[in-house]
Amino acid sequence: GFGQTSTFGGPANTPTLQRLADEGLRYNRFHTTALCSPTRAAMLSGRNHHSVHTGVITEMATGFPGYDGSWPREAASIAEILRGNHYSTAAVGKWHNTPDHELSAAGPFDRWPSGKGFDYWYGFQGGEASQWHTPLFENTVPVEPPHDDPNWHFSEAIAEKAISWLIQQKAGAPDKPFFMYFAPGACHSPHHVAKEWADKYKGKFDHGWDRQREITLENQKKLGLVPKGTKLTPRPDSIPSWESRSADEKRLYARMQEVFAGFLEHV
């Protein structure tokens, strides 16, 4: 979300994103569809998600126009456009834009990354997956994570694959431009990260969610990401106040946020 990373005033430490932001641009407006598959479909095509037939996540597709989950040929992805303009293209990480009934080894593969303009893909297909024992594909072939490495983690694996692909691409065709779509499983559930990353945030969220919203907005004003006069939206009635929670609930929820922040910093 907009207020999660320290680069955008949030509580999770993101120094790598900060370095990128310092050398480039930070955007403070983004149209999100509030769901995973539709936002990805919109971002990858530059179109309204209904034009990409992705009004909902792929698993909830229906027969209604704009909601059948079958990305049409006429809604080209950015990778298809760039590959047609002599770019090398790669995707690593989560996809979640292939209809459920097209996920088997029999295909069809038109709506897999390889069918949407990507020369190479390494990642998983569904909405969420274990980050320790991920159901992986390389292009259209199922592959197994290594069974002899207890520290294997999906975020690190896709980073290594991305770096390897870039090195090979630049060695093989140094003058050819490239486009890479890097889509980690973090910070979607399940929040899988080693304990030492979560423990970095021990006690950092004991003040609760009401105060955290205020801190994040204060930081965003200081960074110039939002106007100085920006006011916080009221907490919805459906979300209880932090002070109304019991001690056990506060301990649980604070730990959940510690894990989330550690997961985000890790990725």
Side-chain angles (χ1 to χ4, degrees), residues 110-130:
D110 309 40
R111 297 179 183 92
W112 289 52
S114 55
K116 299 308 296 180
F118 289 102
D119 298 327
Y120 176 76
W121 175 58
Y122 176 88
F124 68 90
Q125 274 281 14
E128 59 187 10
S130 167

Side-chain angles (χ1 to χ4, degrees), residues 178-202:
F178 71 88
F179 171 71
M180 174 173 283
Y181 174 58
F182 186 89
C187 266
H188 196 289
S189 61
H191 298 152
H192 285 173
V193 72
K195 187 173 181 292
E196 58 264 27
W197 288 88
D199 286 351
K200 285 185 173 194
Y201 290 89
K202 187 144 187 70

